[in-house]
Amino acid sequence: MPVKIRLQRHGKKGKPFYWIVAADSRAKRDGKYLEKLGVYNPNTNPATIDLDVDGAVKWLQNGAQPTDTAKNLLSYKGALLKNHLAGGVRKGALTEEQAEAKFTAWLEEKTGKVDSKKDGLAQAEADAKAKALEAEKAVNEARIAAAAPVVEEEVAEATEASNEEE
């Protein structure tokens, strides 16, 4: 039975949400699957990927072929690297501790990159809010300045009318 690691679409129209699953290649896109390996939400920035790395590695070692998009997600989360390192351990090129150390180092570096991107996005959002607030203040000040002469004229007319009544 040829097994694929692929995405199974969920969510509503225009808001896709995917499950990463191991499924028989002959099964329907959203049909029966063998194991759910994780979830992928492209609606957030950066995209949210929750993946069982060990389960994905197990399926890869048993011959499952990932689709192109699933391969990108597995690579992003380090499942392909872990599978590669496990192959090196089987061949005797690495020890289990060396492979684990390499994977941990890669994972820390990747986490640092993702955190820096999140910080950059948060900073850009804060800058945009500050700029919008400044623009709004300028517009309000212009409105107040434009309305001030009209108010002064109305006050002058009102005082003249009250003086005439007396």
Side-chain angles (χ1 to χ4, degrees), residues 2-164:
V3 176
K4 290 260 188 202
I5 297 176
R6 63 184 183 196
L7 300 181
Q8 195 177 65
R9 186 182 167 125
H10 293 273
K12 60 184 183 178
K13 192 187 325 180
K15 295 283 187 179
F17 183 85
Y18 299 96
W19 287 359
I20 304 167
V21 297
D24 184 355
S25 64
R26 296 167 289 191
K28 295 178 183 177
R29 178 193 74 177
D30 298 338
K32 188 175 178 183
Y33 60 90
L34 301 170
E35 183 180 353
K36 180 179 172 184
L37 301 173
V39 294
Y40 166 56
N41 184 2
N43 299 317
T44 60
N45 191 7
T48 306
I49 304 169
D50 182 30
L51 180 69
D52 175 19
V53 176
D54 294 328
V57 170
K58 180 190 77 163
W59 279 105
L60 289 170
Q61 288 175 348
N62 288 333
Q65 294 296 313
T67 60
D68 292 339
T69 307
K71 190 174 189 175
N72 289 338
L73 295 175
L74 293 175
S75 176
Y76 182 82
K77 292 306 271 186
L80 294 180
L81 175 65
K82 195 165 189 174
N83 183 39
H84 178 73
L85 293 172
V89 170
R90 276 195 311 274
K91 292 178 182 176
L94 295 169
T95 64
E96 187 69 37
E97 294 79 24
Q98 289 173 330
E100 192 62 37
K102 282 187 176 188
F103 182 71
T104 305
W106 179 87
L107 206 54
E108 289 173 3
E109 181 183 337
K110 184 72 168 185
T111 304
K113 287 181 183 177
V114 171
D115 289 342
S116 67
K117 181 178 180 183
K118 285 181 182 178
D119 293 341
L121 289 171
Q123 182 65 34
E125 186 176 331
D127 291 344
K129 273 188 175 181
K131 194 172 185 181
L133 183 63
E134 289 298 322
E136 189 174 333
K137 283 182 180 179
V139 168
N140 287 341
E141 289 173 1
R143 277 192 197 138
I144 291 170
V150 174
V151 171
E152 290 174 4
E153 290 174 9
E154 290 176 359
V155 170
E157 290 174 5
T159 54
E160 288 177 14
S162 63
N163 289 339
E164 291 176 5

